[in-house]
Amino acid sequence: MNTGIRFDGVSVAYGGNIVLDALDLTVEPGEVMALLGPSGSGKTTALRAVAGFVQPVAGRVFIGDRDVTDLPPHRRGVGMVVQQYALFPHMRVDANVAFGLKARGVHGAHGARKAPRDEIAARVTEALEMTGMSAYARRYPRELSGGQQQRVAIARALAVRPGVLLLDEPLSALDAQLRSGMLAELARLHRDLPDVSMLYVTHDQIEALTLADRIALMDRARLQDCGTPQDLYRRPRTEFTASFVGNANLLPVTVTGDGVRLAGAVLDVPAAGAAAPGDPATLCVRPHAIGLGEGPNALRGTVTEVQWRGATHRLCVDVAGHRVTADVRELHETSSLGTEVTLHFAARDAVVLPATAAPVGPGGGAAHG
Ligand SMILES: Nc1ncnc2c1ncn2[C@@H]1O[C@H](COP(=O)(O)OP(=O)(O)OP(=O)(O)O)[C@@H](O)[C@H]1O
Ligand SMILES: [Mg+2]
């Protein structure tokens, strides 16, 4: 099978600088893996190592059961889509889609061979159909919208019938509405091609949470965490994960015998091995898990900000000098700016994490978005 990706201790360096550090990661056949992480963390580099555009200084890359580390890009059976469409402006859509096939030939049972003309035509037709672009075959890229151009780029990647599809922020050049439409199309495409493995780089959490079977989190050249979106969201193991997958309140607490202490309040949230009694730790609670009014794990504070967000209100509350963000459905009449309120949350919606020295993630670890 020419699908599934395995990074086995893959390191990449530029001018002696390690920018991908001993990456171990497996993408199963048919799996969509999102690569998420701050700018410069090595996401694109990881993709380029699979495509063959960069040579690792250590480790091996496997596609299916083949070690492809020493193979040139056109013999790896991968399709790649990047942010900026990268279509040839002087070629019509069909020629753009055929380009990869002509360059690399057709992969058959006996390896790559030069593609015969009618086979190329059939594959171009198929790829344009899959991306809903059949009607545009004779247009030039400049005669297409951004979304249409990106569909052509996807068609070009699919035309080689890759076992592995590499997508590097494919939707980030599109506006928000188009992006959500294309996201749904990518999900459909994945259902149509259930054996193709996808490695999908994105900055957008919604894309990662919508498309991915699992998310790999990168930071400073290293893989920091990997898991299903649900696991990373509900049970993050580090502050970095908590702040990068969804919004999070990350509050400094002290571990007590059977709970944690936040300022004066004792909270009934087991630290479960994150830290020993007396140690500092970080409490992670999602804004939507915090309710307004009395309840278990009550926190008292002063409202510093109220934002109306359609279905919910976002309240920012100062709790003993810590900013706590809550997304609540109903706003009490008394919860206006400067008033004292009580917030609460269920123990099952909170996680205690080992404290880290420095703030991490976007927005310095505070709730954002
Ligand atoms: N051709 C190159 N020569 C030198 N350094 C490079 C080269 N390509 C990438 N780098 C460096 O490698 C590091 C990782 O880059 P990479 O493009 O993989 O990051 P990224 O996670 O994709 O970031 P972004 O989210 O901004 O696209 C960065 O520090 C970058 O400056
Ligand atoms: Mg990148």
Side-chain angles (χ1 to χ4, degrees), residues 14-15 19 37-46 48 168-169 201 203:
Y14 288 112
V19 300
S39 183
S41 55
K43 306 179 299 291
T44 294
T45 303
R48 293 173 64 84
D168 195 352
E169 308 199 36
V201 175
H203 274 113

Side-chain angles (χ1 to χ4, degrees), residues 205-206 233 246-249 285-293 299 303 305-317 323-332 335 341-345 349 366-369:
Q205 298 189 3
I206 303 293
Y233 187 79
N247 301 320
N249 288 292
V285 198
R286 304 293 182 182
H288 71 83
I290 299 182
L292 190 57
L299 299 171
V303 177
E305 232 178 289
V306 183
Q307 297 169 3
W308 181 65
R309 302 197 152 204
T312 59
H313 296 268
R314 170 157 288 194
L315 278 186
C316 297
V317 177
R323 179 188 157 102
V324 177
T325 304
D327 290 338
V328 299
R329 287 186 174 279
E330 302 282 329
L331 212 54
H332 301 189
S335 44
V341 291
T342 303
L343 304 173
H344 68 274
F345 60 89
D349 291 329
H368 55 93

Side-chain angles (χ1 to χ4, degrees), residues 47 67 72 113 116 137 154 159 179 214 217-218 268 272 275 277-278 285 296 300 303 314 354 361:
L47 244 59
D67 181 341
R113 62 191 155 80
I154 294 168
R179 221 162 36 227
R214 285 190 297 159
L217 274 176
M218 305 273 305
D268 180 24
V285 198
R300 277 172 196 81
V303 177
R314 170 157 288 194

Side-chain angles (χ1 to χ4, degrees), residues 19-207:
V19 300
L20 190 65
D21 194 357
L23 177 62
D24 288 315
L25 182 68
T26 301
V27 186
E28 303 293 343
E31 188 178 34
V32 181
M33 177 79 80
L35 264 185
L36 210 58
S39 183
S41 55
K43 306 179 299 291
T44 294
T45 303
L47 244 59
R48 293 173 64 84
V50 178
F53 299 134
V54 65
Q55 194 61 25
V57 292
R60 311 300 298 176
V61 179
F62 295 84
I63 292 177
D65 47 17
R66 281 194 314 159
D67 181 341
V68 299
T69 320
D70 300 318
L71 289 183
H74 66 271
R75 294 196 44 213
R76 295 189 177 202
V78 305
M80 187 155 172
V81 180
V82 298
Q83 180 180 346
Q84 288 302 345
Y85 330 133
L87 301 177
F88 298 108
H90 60 285
M91 287 185 191
R92 293 181 194 271
V93 163
D94 51 5
N96 264 287
V97 175
F99 183 81
L101 285 171
K102 286 180 178 155
R104 55 175 109 185
V106 173
H107 293 269
H110 308 289
R113 62 191 155 80
K114 201 169 172 337
R117 205 178 250 270
D118 47 355
E119 183 150 5
I120 290 178
R123 293 248 189 136
V124 169
T125 303
E126 175 191 84
L128 287 176
E129 265 168 22
M130 258 190 239
T131 51
M133 287 301 289
S134 306
Y136 301 85
R138 300 304 292 160
R139 295 235 191 142
Y140 286 100
R142 64 170 180 274
E143 298 167 335
L144 301 175
S145 72
Q148 290 165 342
Q149 289 183 56
Q150 196 58 308
R151 284 197 189 92
V152 175
I154 294 168
R156 183 174 58 186
L158 292 176
V160 302
R161 291 197 190 145
V164 160
L165 196 55
L166 306 170
L167 301 134
D168 195 352
E169 308 199 36
L171 309 185
S172 60
L174 309 176
D175 68 46
Q177 199 179 349
L178 199 50
R179 221 162 36 227
S180 77
M182 286 289 285
L183 196 57
E185 283 193 36
L186 282 173
R188 178 190 50 76
L189 203 59
H190 178 54
R191 287 194 296 275
D192 292 347
L193 301 166
D195 299 328
V196 174
S197 301
M198 297 191 190
L199 192 52
Y200 189 101
V201 175
T202 177
H203 274 113
D204 186 320
Q205 298 189 3
I206 303 293
E207 286 176 25

